[in-house]
Amino acid sequence: MSFFSIGENYLEFQNGNEVVRIIAWGTNSLRVVSAPSGELDLSCCALLTQDSKAEVAIEGDVGAIGNGKIHAVVTKESGWNNYGKITFYNQKGEVILKEAASGGALLKKARFFKSIIGGDFQLKATFEANHEEKIYGMGQYQQDIFDLKGCNLELAHRNSQASIPFYLFHLSN
């Protein structure tokens, strides 16, 4: 497999054994699915299929996918290890989210998989911080912190805590 491949509504790339697919999903949305090795299993996904019309292109070491007001660009980075760095943009070309850079000799990765007994994996995704953003809405936490940016929180349900993580970014017209 070459680094990039495309389908009707997706852009896919491979980092060593890791496979990452960015799929147009619904209106103005992109969905990222990844597996640490082997083929992607899209049959057990929690989200229902959504009709979309994506624009997908590959030019050299850059792949791009757009769906309405959002698009993603994957740049093939070289160095200690080849990897794809994903950056998401709004309709004005402003960066919404950008994966963290590789750690060079430390082999830091923007997407780090940790195996879990039973064959599943835990994924830690790391993005560069936007100094203007605020992160709210982790559910019902009994704490005095409202803006959760930079906080490490355990995502567990307890008698007095309901964890409902989400990230909301408003796309202006």
Side-chain angles (χ1 to χ4, degrees):
M1 175 180 182
S2 65
F3 189 77
F4 290 109
S5 62
I6 60 174
E8 183 178 341
N9 280 328
Y10 70 85
L11 171 67
E12 186 172 289
F13 62 98
Q14 187 165 352
N15 293 329
N17 290 334
E18 178 192 18
V19 179
V20 180
R21 182 178 288 186
I22 304 171
I23 306 166
W25 188 75
T27 306
N28 303 320
S29 298
L30 295 172
R31 179 177 179 209
V32 181
V33 181
S34 182
S37 59
E39 305 245 345
L40 293 173
D41 180 8
L42 300 173
S43 65
C44 64
C45 295
L47 299 175
L48 299 175
T49 302
Q50 299 285 319
D51 290 331
S52 302
K53 180 66 178 151
E55 297 176 15
V56 187
I58 299 171
E59 189 172 317
D61 288 344
V62 177
I65 181 169
N67 183 23
K69 295 181 180 180
I70 188 170
H71 69 277
V73 175
V74 179
T75 307
K76 181 180 178 185
E77 303 285 335
S78 299
W80 290 93
N81 55 340
N82 288 332
Y83 68 98
K85 183 176 182 177
I86 307 172
T87 306
F88 297 91
Y89 297 89
N90 65 15
Q91 75 276 16
K92 297 177 185 176
E94 300 166 331
V95 174
I96 299 172
L97 282 174
K98 184 176 187 177
E99 284 188 317
S102 170
L106 298 175
L107 295 179
K108 286 183 168 181
K109 297 180 180 181
R111 292 173 307 281
F112 178 75
F113 289 91
K114 180 180 176 184
S115 60
I116 299 174
I117 295 174
D120 288 333
F121 291 89
Q122 172 185 353
L123 172 63
K124 178 180 180 181
T126 307
F127 298 93
E128 292 181 6
N130 175 340
H131 299 292
E132 301 296 318
E133 77 182 353
K134 308 288 185 215
I135 299 177
Y136 309 111
M138 290 300 292
Q140 299 171 346
Y141 277 66
Q142 295 187 14
Q143 61 191 18
D144 57 359
I145 302 169
F146 188 59
D147 181 4
L148 300 174
K149 182 176 179 179
C151 295
N152 289 320
L153 300 170
E154 179 187 20
L155 299 180
H157 292 289
R158 303 196 187 294
N159 195 20
S160 63
Q161 172 181 313
S163 299
I164 308 167
F166 67 91
Y167 179 87
L168 176 66
F169 188 87
H170 176 68
L171 291 175
S172 57
N173 294 337

